Amino acid sequence: MDSTRVTEQPTSFERPQPGVTPADPRGALLHTPPPAHVPGTGAALPVQGSGGEPPVPGASPGAPGATPGTVAPDGTGGDPADGPASEHSQPGTGEGAGPDTHRPRPAPEGIPVQPAAGQDGPAPARAPDGKERRTGQPTQPGRPTPMRRDGDRLRFVGAATRRIARGIDLDEIVMGLCRATVPTFSDAILVYLRDPLPVGDERPTGPLVLRLRRTDRIPAERDTEGGFAPVAAPPEPSELDSVGEELCTVRPGSALAEVLRGVRPVFTDAPAARAALPELLGEDGAPAVPDGQRAILAPLRGRRRVIGAALFLRRPERIPFEADDLLVAAQLATHSALGIDKAVLYGREAYIADELQRTMLPENLPRCTGVRLASRYLPAAETARVGGDWYDAIPLPGSRVALVVGDVMGHSMTSAAIMGQLRTTAQTLAGLDLPPQEVLHHLDEQAQRLGVDRMATCLYAVYDPVAHRITIANAGHPPPILLELGGRAEVLRVPAGAPIGVGGVDFEAVELDAPAGATLLLYTDGLVESRLRDVWTGIEQLREKLAATAQLTGPDHPPPLEALCDEVLDMLGPGDRDDDIALLAARFDGIAPNDVAYWFLEPEDSAPGRARRLARRALSRWGMEDLSDSVELLVSEVVTNAVRYATRPVTLRLLRTDVLRCEVGDDVPQLPRLRQARATDEGGRGLYLVNRLARRWGATRLSTGKVVWFELNRG
């Protein structure tokens, strides 16, 4: 998510409590009922007492008509038989309680709405002797005790911090702070964060810049169900709607810098905070902040430095904040800042894990002759972004390609590191053009060198587009599926073998037909195995999914490769992501026999001249005479280098695809190197000509020698 985006979201409301006006924007909060007044005295009964019916006017405690549980002016219960009145007893528990006696229960995650400005607040709590519990001073009888407000304030802080702590990333934590405070604690909130946010012990450079990350405000109107009612006319703009600018540069030594350095929340009517508001909100936004103690500026301090600020606002019609509200704001700011610090660290770790996984997997699949490739990789979960699954496609001599897919046990960084080592080993072994079973044997030895518990499964296949054949060896991996052109999907019968790392086992390779238009699907067990199904059930479902997808495109047209991969991943249900998934799909196009020319040349002096004549005839047959001069020159140079040291017949092959490819093979393992010949040298210029005239060229060592190849663009 873009860190610079500013979002303004209306706060969700719970179902209103009984006795709360639905149109009140603070309807989700508990409204403490006004105390009943005793006629002639103006004294209010305690809101939180032992419960029961209001006393009969003029009745004394214990007199006829006085109900049990009423509070006498001296603070004692009305009925001595019931014992001392409990301040936590429920209403309606006395004998005289009527059936309709009811009082709304407090909202579990909120504090009571503050009374409107000008109303008397609650009196201090009284001890049984009629004195204030905190100061010991006598209190007026009939005043409501503040125990419920203090208790709800604590419950609100606990619920708000739990909601903030539930967030795992930056946006969730900031949204949790906004949703927890509006409208319960404030009518609006603005959250500024440092841009960019420092990570861990990283020392920020440059000036301190705050960016408005998120704002929340009470909506103008909502319906009785807690949602929002359609507004017939645009609501009147509030002064809180114009507060806030997106960017703020904190100047060293300024009033805002001093407030942030102080760390503690302050009321904005303080001189330092009032001077800091224009710097934070801009000259136009600062006057919109309500006067008096209706705004709190709370710095957000992480583990080592200030990382932002939060501004809590109350509308003018609501009573100002109290001194205890500064403690609430401090708790909210502290928990939010520490959560943001941890979220930034988690984001950095996730970024490192993503980069590690991305570098372990191929960035782009190669473009190989006669085959088209597509791949997918999905981590097990957002909290486990790295794993041991990998895939690869490695070009081989003779226009062949090696297809590899493997799975190291586990989803940790260690598994990813082992996967990277095995993948590098597989690439090195593929460059030696070893048979598939030999590649798995060497991978097994490498896994044993890495550790005794380093185990993995792997499937290694080599596709030859000229012969239309594929050779496969398996090491404990799920078998591949071949989707033919007509829509028939088949699970290939490949010997399972033992996993890599077991040691002392033999691997077997099988050679199968790979007809043109067919698709080979290699995958890891995360695609077919989960808590809800075993691996063979998943393989059968995958086979049916491939067959059904192929039916949609008809018998003569294979499904598009990228779309096929997406369809395969769509078979995963909500509970099927127990492991990471690697998927490699190969569409076999092959090379037609009439596009291939192949000869054997004896290692003698006449071989270069014969190679030129054979190449000229092939190009004439293909209608590519315009390339004859370049091809004859390059073929002559490469064949000359081959017959100089070869003891067995030299091979010459021309392939006509989207380019013209020439391959010359011999039995000498030493690879030729490009060098700059001196003026007196008789040779050493052949590869220099190849490098200048060819589109690209290369040399690959084989188990029986080497192949030197070059490609030319078709006119």
Side-chain angles (χ1 to χ4, degrees):
M1 187 174 187
D2 186 4
S3 63
T4 64
R5 185 173 64 183
V6 180
T7 57
E8 178 176 341
Q9 297 290 340
T11 300
S12 59
F13 291 87
E14 300 178 5
R15 184 174 299 277
Q17 301 293 334
V20 178
T21 305
D24 188 350
R26 298 164 294 179
L29 310 176
L30 173 66
H31 283 235
T32 305
H37 292 269
V38 179
T41 64
L45 288 176
V47 173
Q48 182 173 354
S50 61
E53 295 274 348
V56 177
S60 61
T67 58
T70 56
V71 182
D74 61 354
T76 60
D79 192 349
D82 293 339
S86 171
E87 63 181 1
H88 297 291
S89 58
Q90 299 297 322
T93 56
E95 292 182 13
D100 296 333
T101 302
H102 175 71
R103 208 170 50 169
R105 301 177 63 184
E109 296 197 7
I111 61 174
V113 145
Q114 306 295 334
Q119 293 184 359
D120 291 335
R126 289 182 295 124
D129 58 357
K131 296 183 179 181
E132 185 182 342
R133 293 180 178 179
R134 296 180 181 176
T135 63
Q137 300 297 326
T139 58
Q140 299 179 3
R143 292 291 301 275
T145 64
M147 291 299 297
R148 179 171 296 278
R149 171 182 290 181
D150 293 343
D152 283 343
R153 180 179 283 111
L154 293 177
R155 283 194 294 272
F156 162 72
V157 172
T161 53
R162 286 194 301 271
R163 186 166 191 172
I164 295 170
R166 283 198 296 264
I168 195 172
D169 60 14
L170 183 61
D171 293 312
E172 290 178 350
I173 293 173
V174 175
M175 184 177 68
L177 171 63
C178 295
R179 294 295 177 86
T181 55
V182 179
T184 309
F185 182 70
S186 62
D187 295 326
I189 182 175
L190 286 80
V191 180
Y192 287 84
L193 294 182
R194 193 165 189 155
D195 186 28
L197 280 169
V199 180
D201 296 331
E202 174 184 315
R203 290 185 174 274
T205 59
L208 173 58
V209 178
L210 300 180
R211 181 179 294 274
L212 183 60
R213 183 77 185 197
R214 187 182 177 92
T215 66
D216 261 5
R217 296 179 176 88
I218 295 180
E221 188 174 349
R222 68 183 185 90
D223 60 17
T224 58
E225 296 298 327
F228 300 97
V231 181
E236 291 294 331
S238 170
E239 68 279 357
L240 300 184
D241 296 335
S242 60
V243 176
E245 286 190 353
E246 184 176 353
L247 283 178
C248 164
T249 301
V250 182
R251 299 184 303 274
S254 64
L256 180 57
E258 294 299 324
V259 172
L260 295 179
R261 187 179 297 112
V263 176
R264 297 180 180 277
V266 294
F267 292 120
T268 55
D269 62 346
R274 178 57 62 179
L277 286 180
E279 187 177 354
L280 179 66
L281 307 177
E283 296 294 338
D284 297 334
V289 176
D291 296 330
Q293 295 183 355
R294 288 186 172 86
I296 295 178
L297 180 58
L300 302 178
R301 180 177 177 82
R303 295 183 301 166
R304 290 176 175 84
R305 62 185 64 87
V306 172
I307 60 174
L311 182 63
F312 304 94
L313 302 171
R314 282 187 180 175
R315 299 183 185 275
E317 62 269 16
R318 192 171 175 183
I319 71 167
F321 289 106
E322 300 176 352
D324 288 343
D325 292 328
L326 290 177
L327 301 178
V328 175
Q331 288 289 326
L332 297 177
T334 300
H335 283 274
S336 300
L338 293 177
I340 290 171
D341 251 358
K342 294 177 181 178
V344 173
L345 287 174
Y346 170 77
R348 171 59 64 88
E349 292 182 358
Y351 170 78
I352 294 174
D354 289 341
E355 287 296 311
L356 174 64
Q357 188 72 55
R358 188 177 296 110
T359 54
M360 292 295 185
L361 296 174
E363 184 177 356
N364 295 302
L365 292 174
R367 298 185 60 182
C368 303
T369 303
V371 62
R372 286 174 287 169
L373 303 171
S375 62
R376 295 290 187 274
Y377 176 81
L378 294 178
E382 287 296 321
T383 55
R385 303 188 180 207
V386 293
D389 291 16
W390 90 91
Y391 61 89
D392 210 346
I394 309 168
L396 299 178
S399 299
R400 296 171 300 154
V401 59
L403 307 174
V404 191
V405 65
D407 183 4
V408 179
M409 292 189 304
H411 318 118
S412 63
M413 303 284 281
T414 302
S415 301
I418 297 173
M419 175 266 289
Q421 296 182 61
L422 293 179
R423 177 172 176 254
T424 302
T425 304
Q427 289 180 329
T428 304
L429 296 171
L432 300 177
D433 198 30
L434 298 178
Q437 65 271 22
E438 290 297 324
V439 172
L440 295 184
H441 175 73
H442 289 290
L443 284 176
D444 180 58
E445 293 179 341
Q446 174 68 10
Q448 295 179 64
R449 285 191 290 267
L450 294 176
V452 294
D453 57 345
R454 309 308 188 193
M455 298 182 62
T457 63
C458 183
L459 192 142
Y460 189 93
V462 175
Y463 170 64
D464 189 344
V466 177
H468 296 272
R469 302 283 289 179
I470 185 169
T471 306
I472 306 175
N474 192 9
H477 203 77
I481 298 179
L482 184 66
L483 178 63
E484 298 182 0
L485 186 59
R488 178 174 177 268
E490 176 186 6
V491 180
L492 298 182
R493 298 181 179 274
V494 180
I500 292 173
V502 174
V505 297
D506 190 21
F507 299 100
E508 182 181 353
V510 295
E511 189 173 351
L512 304 170
D513 289 330
T519 304
L520 184 69
L521 193 71
L522 308 179
Y523 53 91
T524 56
D525 57 356
L527 180 64
V528 295
E529 186 180 18
S530 69
R531 298 188 302 267
L532 306 178
R533 61 186 178 189
D534 61 88
V535 60
W536 288 107
T537 301
I539 291 175
E540 180 61 24
Q541 292 178 357
L542 176 59
R543 188 195 65 81
E544 295 175 354
K545 181 70 173 180
L546 291 174
T549 304
Q551 295 294 332
L552 300 177
T553 57
D556 300 329
H557 301 282
L561 208 55
E562 296 291 342
L564 181 65
C565 292
D566 294 335
E567 287 292 332
V568 167
L569 295 180
D570 284 344
M571 66 176 288
L572 297 173
D576 292 348
R577 289 284 299 282
D578 300 329
D579 197 359
D580 42 344
I581 298 171
L583 178 66
L584 179 62
R587 174 70 44 77
F588 300 144
D589 294 332
I591 300 177
N594 57 356
D595 291 331
V596 181
Y598 192 85
W599 305 278
F600 287 94
L601 303 174
E602 292 297 329
E604 55 190 21
D605 295 340
S606 60
R610 184 165 179 258
R612 288 193 298 268
R613 291 192 300 270
L614 294 174
R616 187 186 309 116
R617 293 173 187 173
L619 294 177
S620 177
R621 185 171 66 250
W622 290 338
M624 304 170 64
E625 293 85 353
D626 54 333
L627 297 178
S628 294
D629 294 340
S630 299
V631 172
E632 289 183 35
L633 175 60
L634 299 184
V635 165
S636 178
E637 293 294 338
V638 177
V639 172
T640 299
N641 291 337
V643 300
R644 178 176 299 178
Y645 306 102
T647 59
R648 296 181 181 180
V650 176
T651 61
L652 172 63
R653 185 166 73 169
L654 295 179
L655 301 174
R656 181 183 64 168
T657 57
D658 54 341
V659 296
L660 179 66
R661 182 182 177 97
C662 176
E663 299 173 350
V664 177
D666 57 60
D667 61 344
V668 181
Q670 286 79 17
L671 299 179
R673 299 300 180 189
L674 181 64
R675 65 185 181 90
Q676 187 71 35
R678 292 173 297 184
T680 58
D681 292 342
E682 295 183 359
R685 297 174 179 84
L687 288 182
Y688 179 77
L689 293 174
V690 174
N691 185 62
R692 292 296 301 268
L693 299 179
R695 174 176 176 264
R696 62 190 187 115
W697 72 280
T700 306
R701 182 179 287 111
L702 305 178
S703 57
T704 58
K706 68 174 181 294
V707 169
V708 180
W709 56 270
F710 62 85
E711 293 178 352
L712 294 173
N713 291 322
R714 298 174 58 177

Short mmCIF file of all heavy atoms in Angstrom, two decimals, residues 323-359:
data_model
loop_
_atom_site.label_atom_id
_atom_site.label_comp_id
_atom_site.label_asym_id
_atom_site.label_seq_id
_atom_site.Cartn_x
_atom_site.Cartn_y
_atom_site.Cartn_z
N ALA A 323 -7.92 16.19 32.64
CA ALA A 323 -6.51 15.90 32.89
C ALA A 323 -6.22 14.41 32.72
O ALA A 323 -5.17 14.01 32.22
CB ALA A 323 -6.11 16.37 34.28
N ASP A 324 -7.19 13.55 33.16
CA ASP A 324 -6.98 12.11 33.01
C ASP A 324 -6.94 11.69 31.55
O ASP A 324 -6.38 10.64 31.22
CB ASP A 324 -8.08 11.34 33.74
CG ASP A 324 -7.93 11.42 35.26
OD1 ASP A 324 -6.82 11.80 35.70
OD2 ASP A 324 -8.90 11.13 35.97
N ASP A 325 -7.55 12.47 30.68
CA ASP A 325 -7.53 12.12 29.27
C ASP A 325 -6.13 12.24 28.67
O ASP A 325 -5.83 11.61 27.65
CB ASP A 325 -8.49 13.02 28.49
CG ASP A 325 -9.94 12.71 28.85
OD1 ASP A 325 -10.23 11.55 29.16
OD2 ASP A 325 -10.77 13.64 28.81
N LEU A 326 -5.27 13.06 29.29
CA LEU A 326 -3.89 13.09 28.83
C LEU A 326 -3.19 11.75 29.06
O LEU A 326 -2.38 11.31 28.24
CB LEU A 326 -3.12 14.19 29.56
CG LEU A 326 -3.48 15.64 29.19
CD1 LEU A 326 -2.67 16.61 30.06
CD2 LEU A 326 -3.22 15.90 27.72
N LEU A 327 -3.55 11.09 30.17
CA LEU A 327 -2.98 9.76 30.42
C LEU A 327 -3.50 8.75 29.39
O LEU A 327 -2.75 7.88 28.94
CB LEU A 327 -3.33 9.30 31.84
CG LEU A 327 -2.85 10.21 32.98
CD1 LEU A 327 -3.31 9.66 34.32
CD2 LEU A 327 -1.33 10.33 32.94
N VAL A 328 -4.78 8.86 29.03
CA VAL A 328 -5.33 7.98 28.01
C VAL A 328 -4.62 8.21 26.67
O VAL A 328 -4.22 7.26 25.99
CB VAL A 328 -6.84 8.21 27.87
CG1 VAL A 328 -7.41 7.39 26.71
CG2 VAL A 328 -7.55 7.84 29.17
N ALA A 329 -4.45 9.47 26.29
CA ALA A 329 -3.77 9.77 25.04
C ALA A 329 -2.33 9.27 25.06
O ALA A 329 -1.80 8.80 24.04
CB ALA A 329 -3.80 11.28 24.77
N ALA A 330 -1.67 9.36 26.22
CA ALA A 330 -0.30 8.87 26.31
C ALA A 330 -0.24 7.36 26.11
O ALA A 330 0.66 6.85 25.43
CB ALA A 330 0.30 9.25 27.67
N GLN A 331 -1.19 6.65 26.71
CA GLN A 331 -1.22 5.20 26.51
C GLN A 331 -1.46 4.84 25.04
O GLN A 331 -0.79 3.97 24.48
CB GLN A 331 -2.30 4.58 27.39
CG GLN A 331 -1.98 4.56 28.87
CD GLN A 331 -0.88 3.55 29.18
OE1 GLN A 331 -0.77 2.50 28.55
NE2 GLN A 331 -0.04 3.89 30.15
N LEU A 332 -2.42 5.50 24.42
CA LEU A 332 -2.70 5.23 23.00
C LEU A 332 -1.49 5.54 22.13
O LEU A 332 -1.15 4.78 21.22
CB LEU A 332 -3.91 6.04 22.56
CG LEU A 332 -5.24 5.74 23.26
CD1 LEU A 332 -6.31 6.70 22.76
CD2 LEU A 332 -5.66 4.31 23.04
N ALA A 333 -0.84 6.68 22.39
CA ALA A 333 0.32 7.06 21.58
C ALA A 333 1.47 6.09 21.78
O ALA A 333 2.16 5.72 20.82
CB ALA A 333 0.75 8.49 21.94
N THR A 334 1.71 5.65 23.01
CA THR A 334 2.82 4.74 23.27
C THR A 334 2.60 3.40 22.58
O THR A 334 3.50 2.88 21.91
CB THR A 334 2.99 4.54 24.78
OG1 THR A 334 3.27 5.80 25.40
CG2 THR A 334 4.11 3.56 25.07
N HIS A 335 1.42 2.83 22.75
CA HIS A 335 1.15 1.53 22.13
C HIS A 335 1.17 1.64 20.61
O HIS A 335 1.67 0.73 19.93
CB HIS A 335 -0.19 1.00 22.61
CG HIS A 335 -0.15 0.42 23.99
ND1 HIS A 335 0.18 -0.89 24.25
CD2 HIS A 335 -0.39 0.98 25.20
CE1 HIS A 335 0.14 -1.13 25.55
NE2 HIS A 335 -0.21 0.00 26.15
N SER A 336 0.65 2.71 20.08
CA SER A 336 0.66 2.87 18.62
C SER A 336 2.07 3.02 18.09
O SER A 336 2.44 2.42 17.08
CB SER A 336 -0.19 4.08 18.22
OG SER A 336 -1.52 3.92 18.66
N ALA A 337 2.90 3.82 18.75
CA ALA A 337 4.26 4.03 18.27
C ALA A 337 5.09 2.75 18.33
O ALA A 337 5.82 2.43 17.39
CB ALA A 337 4.93 5.13 19.10
N LEU A 338 4.96 2.01 19.42
CA LEU A 338 5.70 0.74 19.50
C LEU A 338 5.20 -0.25 18.45
O LEU A 338 6.00 -1.00 17.86
CB LEU A 338 5.57 0.16 20.90
CG LEU A 338 6.23 0.96 22.03
CD1 LEU A 338 5.97 0.31 23.37
CD2 LEU A 338 7.72 1.10 21.78
N GLY A 339 3.89 -0.27 18.22
CA GLY A 339 3.37 -1.15 17.18
C GLY A 339 3.85 -0.75 15.80
O GLY A 339 4.16 -1.61 14.97
N ILE A 340 3.93 0.56 15.54
CA ILE A 340 4.43 1.02 14.24
C ILE A 340 5.89 0.64 14.07
O ILE A 340 6.32 0.21 13.00
CB ILE A 340 4.22 2.54 14.12
CG1 ILE A 340 2.72 2.86 13.99
CG2 ILE A 340 4.97 3.10 12.93
CD1 ILE A 340 2.41 4.34 14.09
N ASP A 341 6.68 0.78 15.16
CA ASP A 341 8.08 0.37 15.10
C ASP A 341 8.21 -1.10 14.72
O ASP A 341 9.01 -1.48 13.86
CB ASP A 341 8.75 0.63 16.45
CG ASP A 341 9.73 1.78 16.38
OD1 ASP A 341 9.92 2.35 15.29
OD2 ASP A 341 10.30 2.13 17.43
N LYS A 342 7.41 -1.94 15.36
CA LYS A 342 7.48 -3.37 15.07
C LYS A 342 6.97 -3.67 13.66
O LYS A 342 7.49 -4.56 12.98
CB LYS A 342 6.67 -4.15 16.10
CG LYS A 342 7.24 -4.07 17.51
CD LYS A 342 6.37 -4.80 18.52
CE LYS A 342 6.94 -4.69 19.92
NZ LYS A 342 6.08 -5.36 20.93
N ALA A 343 5.95 -2.94 13.23
CA ALA A 343 5.44 -3.17 11.88
C ALA A 343 6.48 -2.80 10.82
O ALA A 343 6.61 -3.49 9.80
CB ALA A 343 4.16 -2.36 11.66
N VAL A 344 7.23 -1.74 11.06
CA VAL A 344 8.28 -1.36 10.11
C VAL A 344 9.37 -2.42 10.07
O VAL A 344 9.87 -2.80 9.01
CB VAL A 344 8.85 0.02 10.48
CG1 VAL A 344 10.05 0.36 9.62
CG2 VAL A 344 7.78 1.09 10.31
N LEU A 345 9.74 -2.94 11.24
CA LEU A 345 10.74 -4.00 11.27
C LEU A 345 10.22 -5.25 10.57
O LEU A 345 10.96 -5.91 9.83
CB LEU A 345 11.11 -4.32 12.72
CG LEU A 345 11.96 -3.27 13.45
CD1 LEU A 345 12.11 -3.65 14.92
CD2 LEU A 345 13.32 -3.14 12.81
N TYR A 346 8.96 -5.58 10.81
CA TYR A 346 8.38 -6.75 10.13
C TYR A 346 8.34 -6.54 8.63
O TYR A 346 8.62 -7.46 7.85
CB TYR A 346 6.97 -7.00 10.66
CG TYR A 346 6.21 -8.03 9.86
CD1 TYR A 346 6.47 -9.39 10.00
CD2 TYR A 346 5.23 -7.63 8.95
CE1 TYR A 346 5.78 -10.31 9.25
CE2 TYR A 346 4.53 -8.56 8.21
CZ TYR A 346 4.81 -9.91 8.37
OH TYR A 346 4.12 -10.82 7.62
N GLY A 347 8.01 -5.31 8.21
CA GLY A 347 8.00 -5.04 6.78
C GLY A 347 9.38 -5.18 6.16
O GLY A 347 9.52 -5.68 5.05
N ARG A 348 10.42 -4.75 6.90
CA ARG A 348 11.78 -4.91 6.38
C ARG A 348 12.14 -6.40 6.28
O ARG A 348 12.75 -6.84 5.29
CB ARG A 348 12.76 -4.18 7.28
CG ARG A 348 14.23 -4.45 6.96
CD ARG A 348 14.58 -4.04 5.54
NE ARG A 348 14.44 -2.62 5.34
CZ ARG A 348 15.39 -1.73 5.58
NH1 ARG A 348 16.57 -2.13 6.02
NH2 ARG A 348 15.17 -0.46 5.35
N GLU A 349 11.78 -7.19 7.29
CA GLU A 349 12.06 -8.62 7.23
C GLU A 349 11.30 -9.29 6.08
O GLU A 349 11.84 -10.15 5.39
CB GLU A 349 11.69 -9.28 8.56
CG GLU A 349 12.60 -8.88 9.71
CD GLU A 349 12.23 -9.58 11.00
OE1 GLU A 349 11.24 -10.34 10.98
OE2 GLU A 349 12.92 -9.37 12.01
N ALA A 350 10.05 -8.89 5.89
CA ALA A 350 9.29 -9.46 4.78
C ALA A 350 9.91 -9.07 3.44
O ALA A 350 9.95 -9.87 2.50
CB ALA A 350 7.83 -8.98 4.85
N TYR A 351 10.42 -7.82 3.36
CA TYR A 351 11.07 -7.40 2.12
C TYR A 351 12.33 -8.21 1.86
O TYR A 351 12.60 -8.64 0.73
CB TYR A 351 11.40 -5.91 2.23
CG TYR A 351 12.29 -5.40 1.12
CD1 TYR A 351 11.78 -5.13 -0.15
CD2 TYR A 351 13.65 -5.19 1.33
CE1 TYR A 351 12.59 -4.67 -1.16
CE2 TYR A 351 14.47 -4.72 0.32
CZ TYR A 351 13.92 -4.47 -0.93
OH TYR A 351 14.74 -4.03 -1.93
N ILE A 352 13.11 -8.45 2.92
CA ILE A 352 14.32 -9.26 2.75
C ILE A 352 13.96 -10.67 2.33
O ILE A 352 14.61 -11.27 1.45
CB ILE A 352 15.13 -9.25 4.06
CG1 ILE A 352 15.66 -7.84 4.35
CG2 ILE A 352 16.27 -10.25 4.00
CD1 ILE A 352 16.35 -7.72 5.69
N ALA A 353 12.91 -11.23 2.94
CA ALA A 353 12.50 -12.58 2.57
C ALA A 353 12.04 -12.64 1.12
O ALA A 353 12.35 -13.58 0.38
CB ALA A 353 11.38 -13.05 3.50
N ASP A 354 11.28 -11.62 0.70
CA ASP A 354 10.82 -11.59 -0.69
C ASP A 354 12.00 -11.48 -1.65
O ASP A 354 12.03 -12.16 -2.69
CB ASP A 354 9.87 -10.41 -0.90
CG ASP A 354 8.53 -10.64 -0.23
OD1 ASP A 354 8.22 -11.81 0.06
OD2 ASP A 354 7.80 -9.66 0.00
N GLU A 355 12.97 -10.64 -1.32
CA GLU A 355 14.13 -10.50 -2.18
C GLU A 355 14.94 -11.79 -2.25
O GLU A 355 15.43 -12.18 -3.31
CB GLU A 355 15.01 -9.35 -1.69
CG GLU A 355 14.44 -7.98 -1.96
CD GLU A 355 14.31 -7.71 -3.45
OE1 GLU A 355 15.29 -7.93 -4.18
OE2 GLU A 355 13.23 -7.29 -3.89
N LEU A 356 15.08 -12.45 -1.10
CA LEU A 356 15.81 -13.72 -1.08
C LEU A 356 15.11 -14.75 -1.96
O LEU A 356 15.74 -15.43 -2.78
CB LEU A 356 15.93 -14.23 0.35
CG LEU A 356 16.54 -15.62 0.52
CD1 LEU A 356 17.98 -15.64 0.04
CD2 LEU A 356 16.47 -16.07 1.99
N GLN A 357 13.79 -14.86 -1.80
CA GLN A 357 13.06 -15.84 -2.60
C GLN A 357 13.12 -15.48 -4.08
O GLN A 357 13.26 -16.37 -4.94
CB GLN A 357 11.59 -15.88 -2.14
CG GLN A 357 10.78 -17.01 -2.77
CD GLN A 357 11.19 -18.35 -2.21
OE1 GLN A 357 11.18 -18.56 -1.01
NE2 GLN A 357 11.54 -19.28 -3.07
N ARG A 358 13.04 -14.19 -4.40
CA ARG A 358 13.06 -13.78 -5.80
C ARG A 358 14.41 -14.07 -6.45
O ARG A 358 14.47 -14.47 -7.61
CB ARG A 358 12.71 -12.29 -5.90
CG ARG A 358 12.51 -11.80 -7.31
CD ARG A 358 12.09 -10.35 -7.33
NE ARG A 358 10.81 -10.15 -6.69
CZ ARG A 358 10.65 -9.54 -5.53
NH1 ARG A 358 11.70 -9.06 -4.88
NH2 ARG A 358 9.45 -9.39 -5.00
N THR A 359 15.48 -13.87 -5.70
CA THR A 359 16.80 -14.15 -6.28
C THR A 359 17.07 -15.64 -6.37
O THR A 359 17.87 -16.07 -7.21
CB THR A 359 17.89 -13.48 -5.43
OG1 THR A 359 17.76 -13.89 -4.06
CG2 THR A 359 17.77 -11.97 -5.49
#
